[in-house]
Amino acid sequence: MAWYKKLHWKIIIGLVLGLIWGLISSATGTADFTTNYIRPFGTIFVDLLKLIAVPLILASLVVGITSLNDMAKLSRMGGKTIAIYMITTTFAITIGLSVVNIMQPGKALPEETRLNLMESYGENVEERDEAARELLEQSPLQFLVDIVPENVFEAASDNSNMLQVVFIAILLGIGLINIPMQKGAVLINFFDSLNDVIIRIVDFIMKTAPYGVFALMAAVIVDLAGDDLSQALNLLRALGWYCLAVIIGLMLHVFIVYSSLFKLFSKMRLIDFFRAIRPAILLGFSTSSSAATLPVTMERVEKNLGVNDEVSSFVLPVGATINMDGTSLYQAVAAVFIAQALGMDLTIAQQLTIVLTATLASIGAAGVPGAGIIMLVIVLQAIQVPVEGIALILGVDRILDMLRTAVNITGDAAVSVAVAHTEGLLGDLHFDDE
Ligand code: ASP
């Protein structure tokens, strides 16, 4: 197959063309055209992916649990998954803190730039602050209450209730393995064929991915730059060190933590892992949403990485909601950057508080664009750094969101490989679009 016909290359081409289009559109003052006539195609693409997320989780998890047929295995796998998720997140935050303390990007921010940024983005902070404040007023155990839905249809009606759908699917699956085989067969077959249909639909949607990604990229650039490209470039220059600190941290995390994970728990090489799941990573990058990317992540992890669906159907939906290594690392860097820029030196105790709160904040962040910065408010409040400091980093957040989401997805897929290997449920690698 010619290289440009392979899916990941088509997506990369769409991405680059979208970027070029966005730049031209901003430079020629036609940002409105892009917003009105190009962006909707990106939105449609993301909506298509979101549309199948809930039925996919339900069908694949019910099928996964009924084929496990063993409660002990299910709880062992659950425990293992959560433990590895927590460990990788702690490593991510530690790496973020190390990088930001060594590079000290906040101290490099000129006073004048700081004042300008606070003035231009100050207003937007209020919205995020309010959203986070509502969360803070809840009981610390609210997240447990939120997992259990009171109504099936309500749970399935909102993609941010992903854990509730996981909960319903687990209950259904457990119920099914506890009734006589012939009685459950109808439902099991139903979910089994629903699962197959949805996997097919993912294939159809992925055919439109290069166009969707083009539209999404063009819209992001136009959002960032408006009709004045030079302003966006100035912003990037001013916050260059901060962005670099986040990027270096994310790269270190991927190369150190995930390759160690593979060394410990599987024989897989990092490079093969990336080759197998690259369309999912590219989609995570362009949509900035772990939740929207989930159907593609599942498809890649099962078909190409060889992870049995008994594992992936549980590990991935849970991961898309609670495991966000990229987000937690970014929150650590951002919190310390803001403190540095405001001339505050953080004590060791405050930095340890960041480890704890960024873990919780990343678990609490939904897999949607911009969720990480809302939860950052909680980290800042815990270390008594003024929330208004978020104004400093808002301008470049969309770009960093793309990168951290790609890492979030990589983390979920890496953990599913580790869990599958330890359970003897890891098959062979396939590179079918090569
Ligand atoms: N966009 C991220 C995700 O979907 C969450 C975040 O804002 O960090 O994984």
Side-chain angles (χ1 to χ4, degrees), residues 288-290 324 327 366-372 401 404-405 408:
S288 285
S289 169
S290 307
M324 300 202 175
T327 300
V368 296
D401 195 1
R404 63 186 190 246
T405 308
N408 290 344

Side-chain angles (χ1 to χ4, degrees), residues 36 78 110 132 142 180 183 212 336 342-343 346 361 392-393 401 430:
N36 292 331
Q142 186 62 33
K183 282 215 157 169
V336 179
L342 299 180
L346 296 179
L392 297 175
I393 56 168
D401 195 1
H430 288 285

